[in-house]
């Protein structure tokens, strides 16, 4: 059997009978662009659809409810791809049968699978790319080129850092507000609160000293009464008078030995002052701590910003190194871009060029492309397609409306016009 694994294939001959509008056509195309021309309703799309139906099967047959020309019993499309021959036949009430054989007549056992493997993914509707959403366009582009990174994973990473930075930013704002609620820093305040216990002990000692004075005073008074009592009783007890006098003298002596009295009214005031100063010291310590937290949070936020910039740079550098099928093609978070501008804002010709180049970039074995709405394309766009086809060794089938009969293969009443 012929080797079908290496050489690029294209259609060297297309024969179709009774397929849709076609009576019978036999086309042996040359060159990279095959223009199927003619007036409206003559069978141009029928030619291109015959190509599609023969090669793609499934989707094409579902889209074509009546493949056999009205009044006929069967239709057939036969494609010569050089090394292999593809034949699809329809008879009434069947979805078509496919035969793929080598040039020497040997049949392949899984013909549709063979064709599917040889066909490019957007071979029959390359402009479908233009109609995709920006997000799907990016997915198509990413699946076509070789990216050194996973854009979704990179975006997840970027978002993670961004969210972390937002969180730390909230801490910064909170700490700044908290810091503002403290009185300003006072360099004259001591670092630590003063102890009240020493002052309290001093006050206790003073009170105790005064109490013993009080006790001495009352003792002296008591003894004075005793003298008075003893004098009253002098006449009865001269002896006890002497004793009382002696005791009185002792008491007076003890009184003289006592220190001076202390004024205790100031202690309360001093204590109050101490508490106020300690409150300020406490606040000052808290303030120092919050200022520390704030500068740490600010530092963290700055680190996150640097990380974000690094991710963006990494992405930009990786993208710059990727080889896109069209110069200037790239993508960002919003979609595919051409020379930095969203593809949706590029001109129709630019979008066409990108779509066709992308469809060709897959580099399938069977290099066939179908463009149905060729009449929408001006000569510049047609020129672009011809250049791309030559560059990628592609065979592009284009349908154009034309009444001159001087463009490409003219189809008239279901046949090739002579
Ligand atoms: N199974 C069929 N049997 C007979 N006629 C058919 C069948 N299928 C489609 N047609 C007719 O073929 C014509 C359309 O053919 P086709 O789409 O190939 O023409 P076209 O040259 O591409 O036209 P246009 O310039 O408008 O694109 C219509 O008139 C349609 O009625
Ligand atoms: Mg048409």
């Amino acid at each position: 059997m012929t080797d079908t694994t290496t050489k690029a294939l294209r259609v060297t001959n297309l024969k179709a009978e009774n397929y849709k509008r076609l009576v019978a056509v036999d086309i042996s195309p040359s060159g990279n662009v095959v223009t199927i021309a003619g007036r409206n309703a003559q069978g141009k799309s029928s030619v291109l659809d015959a190509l599609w139906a023969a090669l793609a099967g499934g989707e094409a047959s579902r889209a074509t409810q009546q493949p056999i020309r009205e009044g006929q019993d069967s239709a057939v499309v036969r494609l010569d791809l050089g090394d292999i021959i593809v034949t699809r036949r329809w008879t009434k009430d069947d979805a078509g049968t496919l035969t793929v054989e080598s040039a020497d007549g040997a049949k392949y056992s899984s013909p549709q699978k063979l064709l599917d493997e040889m066909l490019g993914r957007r071979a029959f509707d390359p402009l479908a790319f233009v109609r995709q959403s920006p997000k799907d366009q990016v997915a198509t582009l990413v699946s076509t080129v070789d990216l050194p990174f996973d854009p979704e994973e990179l975006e997840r990473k970027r978002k993670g850092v961004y969210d972390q930075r937002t969180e730390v930013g909230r801490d910064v704002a909170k700490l700044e507000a908290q810091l503002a609620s403290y009185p300003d820093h006072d360099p004259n305040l001591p670092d630590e609160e003063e102890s009240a216990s020493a002052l309290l002990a001093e006050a206790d000692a003073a009170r105790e000293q005064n109490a013993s004075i009080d006790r001495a005073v009352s003792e002296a008074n008591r003894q004075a009464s005793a003298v008075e009592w003893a004098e009253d009783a002098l006449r009865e007890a001269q002896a006890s008078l002497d004793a009382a006098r002696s005791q009185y003298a002792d008491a007076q002596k003890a009184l003289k030995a006592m220190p001076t009295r202390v004024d205790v009214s100031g202690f309360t005031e001093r204590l109050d002052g101490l508490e106020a100063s300690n409150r300020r010291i406490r606040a000052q310590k808290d303030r120092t701590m919050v200022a520390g937290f704030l500068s740490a949070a600010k530092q963290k936020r700055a680190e996150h910003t640097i990380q974000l910039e690094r991710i963006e740079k990494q992405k930009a550098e990786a993208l710059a190194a990727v080889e896109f099928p069209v110069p200037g093609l790239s993508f960002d978070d919003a979609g595919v871009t051409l020379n930095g501008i969203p593809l949706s804002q590029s001109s129709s010709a630019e979008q066409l060029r990108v779509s066709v180049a992308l469809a060709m970039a897959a580099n399938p074995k069977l290099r066939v492309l179908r463009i149905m709405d060729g009449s929408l394309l001006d000569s510049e766009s047609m020129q672009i397609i011809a250049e791309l086809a030559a560059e990628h060794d592609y065979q592009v089938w284009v349908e154009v409306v034309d009444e001159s009969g001087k463009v490409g293969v003219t189809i008239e009443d279901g046949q090739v016009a002579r």
Side-chain angles (χ1 to χ4, degrees), residues 41 44-46 372 399:
K44 302 182 296 297
S45 292
S46 298
M372 291 174 291
E399 171 177 349

mmCIF file of all heavy atoms in Angstrom, residues 41 44-46 372 399, ligand 2:
data_model
loop_
_atom_site.group_PDB
_atom_site.id
_atom_site.type_symbol
_atom_site.label_atom_id
_atom_site.label_comp_id
_atom_site.label_asym_id
_atom_site.label_seq_id
_atom_site.Cartn_x
_atom_site.Cartn_y
_atom_site.Cartn_z
ATOM 1 N N ALA A 41 -26.557 30.882 -7.825
ATOM 2 C CA ALA A 41 -27.364 29.654 -7.920
ATOM 3 C C ALA A 41 -26.948 28.720 -9.058
ATOM 4 O O ALA A 41 -27.767 27.949 -9.559
ATOM 5 C CB ALA A 41 -28.862 30.017 -8.060
ATOM 6 N N LYS A 44 -21.795 26.866 -7.367
ATOM 7 C CA LYS A 44 -20.439 27.106 -6.822
ATOM 8 C C LYS A 44 -20.303 26.483 -5.435
ATOM 9 O O LYS A 44 -19.362 25.724 -5.164
ATOM 10 C CB LYS A 44 -20.163 28.620 -6.727
ATOM 11 C CG LYS A 44 -20.276 29.350 -8.049
ATOM 12 C CD LYS A 44 -19.959 30.816 -7.898
ATOM 13 C CE LYS A 44 -20.945 31.562 -7.007
ATOM 14 N NZ LYS A 44 -22.334 31.580 -7.536
ATOM 15 N N SER A 45 -21.257 26.817 -4.530
ATOM 16 C CA SER A 45 -21.206 26.252 -3.175
ATOM 17 C C SER A 45 -21.332 24.741 -3.233
ATOM 18 O O SER A 45 -20.753 24.032 -2.400
ATOM 19 C CB SER A 45 -22.328 26.831 -2.302
ATOM 20 O OG SER A 45 -22.089 28.197 -2.066
ATOM 21 N N SER A 46 -22.094 24.254 -4.230
ATOM 22 C CA SER A 46 -22.236 22.800 -4.353
ATOM 23 C C SER A 46 -20.878 22.144 -4.592
ATOM 24 O O SER A 46 -20.605 21.047 -4.091
ATOM 25 C CB SER A 46 -23.213 22.456 -5.488
ATOM 26 O OG SER A 46 -24.495 22.980 -5.185
ATOM 27 N N MET A 372 -15.765 30.226 1.749
ATOM 28 C CA MET A 372 -17.043 30.281 1.027
ATOM 29 C C MET A 372 -17.413 31.688 0.576
ATOM 30 O O MET A 372 -17.961 31.880 -0.485
ATOM 31 C CB MET A 372 -18.145 29.707 1.906
ATOM 32 C CG MET A 372 -17.976 28.208 2.088
ATOM 33 S SD MET A 372 -19.164 27.543 3.248
ATOM 34 C CE MET A 372 -18.602 28.246 4.760
ATOM 35 N N GLU A 399 -14.872 30.541 -3.190
ATOM 36 C CA GLU A 399 -16.060 30.784 -4.024
ATOM 37 C C GLU A 399 -16.234 32.281 -4.235
ATOM 38 O O GLU A 399 -16.227 33.046 -3.281
ATOM 39 C CB GLU A 399 -17.314 30.225 -3.323
ATOM 40 C CG GLU A 399 -18.607 30.650 -4.032
ATOM 41 C CD GLU A 399 -19.869 30.062 -3.405
ATOM 42 O OE1 GLU A 399 -19.730 29.160 -2.539
ATOM 43 O OE2 GLU A 399 -20.960 30.525 -3.766
HETATM 44 MG MG1 LIG B 2 -22.783 29.919 -2.974
#
